[in-house]
Amino acid sequence: MRVHSAGLNPIDYKIFHGGPAAVRNEAVPPCGNGNDFSGVIDELGDGVTGFQIGDAVFGGKRMHAQADYVVVDATRIIGKPAALTFEQAGGLDIAGRAAWASVASLGLTAADTVLVGAAAGGVGMLACQLALRTGATVVGTASAVNHDFLRDLGVIPVAYGDGLVDRVRELTPTVTAALDYNGAATIDAALQLGVPGMRINTIAARGHRAGTGITEVGGQAATLNDLEALATLIAAGEVVLPIDRVFPLENVQDAYRYLMTGHARGKVLLAVR
Ligand SMILES: NC(=O)c1ccc[n+]([C@@H]2O[C@H](COP(=O)([O-])OP(=O)(O)OC[C@H]3O[C@@H](n4cnc5c(N)ncnc54)[C@H](OP(=O)(O)O)[C@@H]3O)[C@@H](O)[C@H]2O)c1
């Protein structure tokens, strides 16, 4: 694969800062960085079928994507729909899988009102749109600057921080489920709002309130078919995936400094070529 765009995700800096994520991913520097990529097939390995040199594709390879070229298993890539930009495709693997699997895990229906924590982030905005497609009502936490953006998606925005529970109660009489993409505060608010633990899923606060039935379904539960289905929805304009900022590869440090502010709206990418 000749890489065109490489997406950034919080897991990258959790790995390169060391700690549990680095241990889980067996990251031993010096090593590569980044997972998400889009690009063009440059060479085919023996026995690969279904792809040709020159095909535009996208996918992920943990700690390898931010490079001119990536050697990747053909079972880990998907043909890029023509209407999906290289930037959108290059930012989809981790956030798309996580959004798809976490929303699916709750079995939402039109009878649900779901609280989404960090609704305007890379995962959160996709999850909000997938939750809305089930017919559920979606209340999403975000800074005021993102409230109009969320309203345009069909999400009822609410500010996070002190008083969240009271603000949600003013917006809706009942909350039946919660999707957490930021941390403990969303989980605690959901429990206080009467959501049973087994109807709360988190991908951002491992082990928080253990024993209450909270699930931790993330991207690993999503298949390549799920990712392809999401890419098709984005290509058709039925789900939007805004690109917040694109940095040149040589400015990768600035790109991570920006992502680490924690206020990206949509995806942050590196332009590799
Ligand atoms: N397990 C998995 O499969 C998996 C996969 C992907 C991601 N994750 C995890 O999920 C989390 C989100 O990932 P991401 O890619 O969506 O990150 P991201 O794009 O960096 O998230 C940024 C969002 O977080 C919001 N935010 C910042 N502070 C907040 C607070 N105190 N309360 C609520 N929201 C806050 C921001 O909202 P405003 O700008 O509106 O303030 C912004 O929209 C990360 O912890 C990541 O590691 C796990």
Side-chain angles (χ1 to χ4, degrees):
M1 288 270 326
R2 188 160 49 85
V3 178
H4 184 291
S5 299
L8 273 61
N9 289 283
I11 187 65
D12 307 335
Y13 60 74
K14 290 179 184 177
I15 290 173
F16 65 61
H17 282 160
V23 174
R24 273 199 308 279
N25 287 279
E26 298 173 3
V28 183
C31 58
N33 189 53
N35 173 87
D36 300 357
F37 63 79
S38 64
V40 174
I41 295 181
D42 190 66
E43 219 179 294
L44 288 178
D46 290 342
V48 174
T49 56
F51 291 106
Q52 294 185 347
I53 290 172
D55 283 354
V57 297
F58 70 98
K61 185 168 178 179
R62 188 63 57 89
M63 296 189 298
H64 283 85
Q66 292 170 10
D68 295 316
Y69 292 86
V70 179
V71 178
V72 60
D73 193 305
T75 61
R76 292 281 303 174
I77 56 173
I78 296 172
K80 183 183 80 61
L84 200 66
T85 65
F86 274 106
E87 285 77 19
Q88 290 172 317
L92 202 51
D93 190 67
I94 282 188
R97 286 173 186 269
W100 190 281
S102 54
V103 171
S105 75
L106 290 182
L108 298 171
T109 71
D112 280 304
T113 297
V114 58
L115 176 67
V116 178
V123 184
M125 71 167 57
L126 291 172
C128 283
Q129 295 173 80
L130 294 173
L132 285 164
R133 292 175 67 82
T134 71
T137 300
V138 178
V139 178
T141 75
S143 300
V145 69
N146 284 322
H147 284 196
D148 282 345
F149 166 73
L150 290 179
R151 270 189 209 101
D152 287 347
L153 295 180
V155 174
I156 302 167
V158 62
Y160 52 75
D162 287 348
L164 172 61
V165 171
D166 292 337
R167 285 191 293 280
V168 174
R169 281 201 183 110
E170 279 170 24
L171 292 168
T172 175
T174 338
V175 178
T176 60
L179 289 160
D180 166 46
Y181 303 114
N182 183 261
T186 307
I187 295 174
D188 290 343
L191 290 169
Q192 285 177 54
L193 288 159
V195 181
M198 60 183 293
R199 298 225 72 213
I200 300 173
N201 189 76
T202 181
I203 63 166
R206 280 173 180 264
H208 185 66
R209 305 287 177 208
T212 53
I214 294 169
T215 53
E216 298 183 359
V217 178
Q220 288 183 338
T223 65
L224 207 63
N225 285 345
D226 295 336
L227 188 60
E228 190 165 23
L230 179 57
T232 304
L233 288 173
I234 297 170
E238 292 184 37
V239 168
V240 299
L241 176 56
I243 303 304
D244 184 334
R245 289 185 69 172
V246 180
F247 293 81
L249 179 61
E250 56 271 27
N251 293 355
V252 59
Q253 293 182 333
D254 292 337
Y256 277 105
R257 282 188 196 103
Y258 178 66
L259 185 74
M260 285 162 54
T261 64
H263 296 290
R265 181 198 289 173
K267 293 303 299 180
V268 179
L269 286 110
L270 298 174
V272 179
R273 72 177 68 211

